[in-house]
Amino acid sequence: MENNANNQNQSQDNVNNILGTAASYFKNINLNQVPDQLKQFGTTAANKVKGLSTTQKVVGGALLLLGAGYLSRRSRMSFRNVAHMSREY
């Protein structure tokens, strides 16, 4: 049980670290410097997402997650190949 509590505390610490990092990135953004076209695109995209059904949102999120995982795995494999090749020389 104690190990499970430690894992939960560690997971919560990881989430807090990620949120803190994200907050620090967004804190430095001045919305007055964002181009108007980008603001308009963000508003349009948000309105389109609001119009989707819950099922469409879940499926879309799952597809985004799978795509990000695929790209992450692919880039990791490329990095390993490059690292392995550099050791041979």
Side-chain angles (χ1 to χ4, degrees):
M1 281 224 162
E2 184 177 311
N3 195 14
N4 191 22
N6 288 339
N7 287 341
Q8 288 177 344
N9 288 339
Q10 187 176 15
S11 294
Q12 187 62 40
D13 289 343
N14 289 340
V15 168
N16 289 339
N17 288 339
I18 291 169
L19 291 176
T21 302
S24 69
Y25 286 135
F26 289 120
K27 188 176 10 175
N28 296 329
I29 294 176
N30 183 357
L31 292 178
N32 294 327
Q33 294 177 343
V34 176
D36 289 336
Q37 287 179 329
L38 185 59
K39 289 178 188 177
Q40 184 179 0
F41 175 76
T43 302
T44 303
N47 288 335
K48 295 280 185 181
V49 170
K50 286 180 188 176
L52 295 175
S53 70
T54 303
T55 303
Q56 289 171 322
K57 290 176 188 174
V58 169
V59 170
L63 289 173
L64 285 173
L65 184 64
L66 286 171
Y70 170 75
L71 291 175
S72 173
R73 182 175 297 152
R74 194 174 105 192
S75 67
R76 223 178 316 139
M77 292 299 289
S78 295
F79 177 74
R80 287 181 187 160
N81 290 340
V82 169
H84 179 69
M85 287 171 43
S86 66
R87 278 189 248 136
E88 292 178 358
Y89 294 105

